[in-house]
Amino acid sequence: MKRLAIIAGKGPLPGEVAMAAIAQGHEVLILPIEGQADADFSGYQTVPIRLGAINKTRSIMLEHGIQTLVMVGKVVWPSMAALRPDFDGMKLLGKMITKGDDNALRHVAAYFAEKGIEIIAVDIFLPDRKMPSGLIVGLAPDGDGEAAISLGMAVLDALGAHDVGQSIIVQNGRVIAIEAAEGSDEMIARAKPLLDAESGVGCLVKMRKTAQDTRLDMPVMGCVTIEAAAKAGLSLLAIEADTVLLADDLAAIKAACVAANMTLIGINRSTAK
Amino acid sequence: MKRLAIIAGKGPLPGEVAMAAIAQGHEVLILPIEGQADADFSGYQTVPIRLGAINKTRSIMLEHGIQTLVMVGKVVWPSMAALRPDFDGMKLLGKMITKGDDNALRHVAAYFAEKGIEIIAVDIFLPDRKMPSGLIVGLAPDGDGEAAISLGMAVLDALGAHDVGQSIIVQNGRVIAIEAAEGSDEMIARAKPLLDAESGVGCLVKMRKTAQDTRLDMPVMGCVTIEAAAKAGLSLLAIEADTVLLADDLAAIKAACVAANMTLIGINRSTAK
């Protein structure tokens, strides 16, 4: 029996990972992040944790003989005041000064690794949930749509080295919105008044940041995103294959796209110019 | 007497340009853009224009013997439906497919140039309104502030080639928000909940896009921006010297910074890495 800890953020994915991990023979300890995790973990062994309590979290894992850790579910980056870091948390946060989100997570990962706790990528437990490659559903993009995808990929490529830019909205050769700290959902919502219904296909491109470590932070896309995109006036979603995780199963994703009249295509970074 | 047309967008700058141009010996025709220009142009010769009516606008200028044109004031990019382009407008808009804002303006400039109408940069008329270089007001940025400026400049440099990214907000090594089609003011407003009051200096960096033609679209910063930045929790404004125009005179800008406890610094692209 391998003991696996699951640090659980918002949404149903942590529960699905727990089920899959048990099926794969792991003994699972769930660490729901207070104020973030919202799935039902009854029936599982759980110890709630506070996001800023880094040494407490490490101690809990060591007490439970954990050697492997997976982090899954959406985590909203809180303010320092809300974070109330403990002693080691404060030391780590000191290191994070002038660092982006990914660097922050890398420091946390290194801190756990000091005591032999290894972080693994969540997609090991959800192999069917990786975004597939190629046209998934909807009409194949025309020249306008392909140009939008290319521009979006080029801009995200230019940004990725700076630990920013997981998604972007493009229409008619214009960059309408770029995601920074606000998250994809908020970016999609604010793009609505900036998109022009008569001016060509509105396209969302979502990719892993160039330097992003998917063990620490895997980009996720699901039915909620599809519905939000349709509401904002988008009709083309270009999602990086293999590196973006689907929050819902592919049948549900396809059904949501059909209902929203949305084209979904899995893109590959290597094909970008 | 040189005849000068002023295509006037929103705000008081078009009126100030008109006064300065007359003092410099120009005979001025103001073309207020309907639904955008809001200054009082009584006492000037005016012919209101519609943004989409490109050949009509060119005809008006030719009828009035205009050979020189300046475009000044904020213009909100309307939807195609609101634009109602005329025949030449439609032809030009056809060319703009898959082009950004700057490319669109370049096509318009070329269309006017066909008939001998030259577009000149607005700062010729407002030489005192160019953002100066160096520390203008407030405490000199510390290491944290300097790091924020460097990161902001680096990301804007990476974006500029794609006709996007005139301004950015950075705090503690994180890119909080990037301006795309929404404009600086809206970006500043939405950064408020993403900034952390306890986590180091919040910094706005505003620069000309690398490929931006300042004859066609000059970035502008004024007291409104300073007040909005203070409200959002920013305390450092790094504005590109020479290429950004001040919407208010320097004394008023300085007073607004002092009132808002804001540091204002003029940066130079050449000093960026």
Side-chain angles (χ1 to χ4, degrees), chain A residues 77-81 96-101 143-144 147 151 154-155 158-159 162-165 172-182 186 190 193-194 196-199, chain B residues 77-81 96-101 143-144 147 151 154-155 158-159 162-165 172-182 186 190 193-196 198-199:
Chain A
W77 195 260
S79 71
M80 275 290 216
M96 293 174 200
I97 301 255
T98 73
K99 299 294 175 193
D101 289 1
D144 184 22
L151 176 57
V155 177
L159 282 172
H162 301 285
D163 193 8
V164 64
N172 193 20
R174 290 182 82 204
V175 176
I176 302 297
I178 302 174
E179 177 188 351
E182 73 275 27
E186 220 176 284
R190 76 183 158 80
L194 302 166
D196 186 350
E198 297 183 38
S199 187
Chain B
W77 195 259
S79 71
M80 276 289 214
M96 292 175 199
I97 301 255
T98 73
K99 300 294 173 192
D101 289 0
D144 184 22
L151 175 57
V155 177
L159 281 173
H162 300 286
D163 193 10
V164 64
N172 194 20
R174 289 182 83 203
V175 176
I176 302 297
I178 302 175
E179 177 188 350
E182 73 275 28
E186 219 176 286
R190 75 183 158 79
L194 303 166
L195 288 159
D196 186 350
E198 296 182 38
S199 186

Side-chain angles (χ1 to χ4, degrees), chain B:
Chain B
M1 267 308 205
K2 292 167 285 174
R3 308 213 62 177
L4 174 77
I6 299 174
I7 293 186
K10 199 175 159 68
L13 275 180
E16 300 185 28
V17 169
M19 284 210 305
I22 286 167
Q24 288 179 22
H26 290 274
E27 193 180 319
V28 165
L29 172 68
I30 297 182
L31 306 174
I33 301 170
E34 286 175 6
Q36 312 249 3
D38 55 4
D40 176 14
F41 298 119
S42 52
Y44 294 101
Q45 188 182 11
T46 61
V47 182
I49 57 166
R50 203 162 53 72
L51 204 54
I54 312 277
N55 55 349
K56 176 78 179 161
T57 299
R58 187 169 74 171
S59 299
I60 292 166
M61 289 192 283
L62 293 174
E63 281 160 25
H64 287 80
I66 300 294
Q67 289 187 307
T68 316
L69 166 68
V70 65
M71 302 196 292
V72 59
K74 193 172 166 178
V75 174
V76 178
W77 195 259
S79 71
M80 276 289 214
L83 204 56
R84 290 186 294 124
D86 61 17
F87 186 74
D88 285 0
M90 199 56 113
K91 280 199 299 182
L92 283 167
L93 291 165
K95 285 192 196 160
M96 292 175 199
I97 301 255
T98 73
K99 300 294 173 192
D101 289 0
D102 287 357
N103 273 301
L105 284 170
R106 265 188 277 274
H107 282 292
V108 172
Y111 174 77
F112 292 153
E114 277 172 14
K115 299 284 181 186
I117 301 165
E118 189 205 1
I119 301 187
I120 58 173
V122 62
D123 58 346
I124 294 170
F125 302 102
L126 300 170
D128 300 340
R129 286 297 182 78
K130 280 186 180 181
M131 177 68 198
S133 205
L135 183 65
I136 309 307
V137 61
L139 287 170
D142 60 2
D144 184 22
E146 282 179 1
I149 295 173
S150 292
L151 175 57
M153 289 177 80
V155 177
L156 292 184
D157 271 340
L159 281 173
H162 300 286
D163 193 10
V164 64
Q166 213 170 253
S167 65
I168 191 165
I169 291 173
V170 175
Q171 183 183 43
N172 194 20
R174 289 182 83 203
V175 176
I176 302 297
I178 302 175
E179 177 188 350
E182 73 275 28
S184 305
D185 293 349
E186 219 176 286
M187 184 200 66
I188 292 169
R190 75 183 158 79
K192 189 176 162 57
L194 303 166
L195 288 159
D196 186 350
E198 296 182 38
S199 186
V201 58
C203 174
L204 173 80
V205 182
K206 180 163 187 156
M207 293 169 78
R208 179 175 49 89
K209 289 176 279 182
T210 322
Q212 192 166 349
D213 186 336
T214 48
R215 289 179 312 136
L216 307 182
D217 177 23
M218 190 144 193
V220 174
M221 197 278 303
C223 292
V224 173
T225 310
I226 294 162
E227 284 151 24
K231 226 167 142 184
L234 301 173
S235 59
L236 175 60
L237 299 186
I239 308 294
E240 190 178 11
D242 293 325
T243 58
V244 175
L245 204 70
L246 300 176
D248 306 283
D249 64 40
L250 194 57
I253 295 278
K254 282 183 180 173
C257 285
V258 170
N261 214 0
M262 183 77 66
T263 290
L264 174 64
I265 188 164
I267 53 174
N268 294 95
R269 188 176 290 266
S270 53
T271 65
K273 275 194 295 275

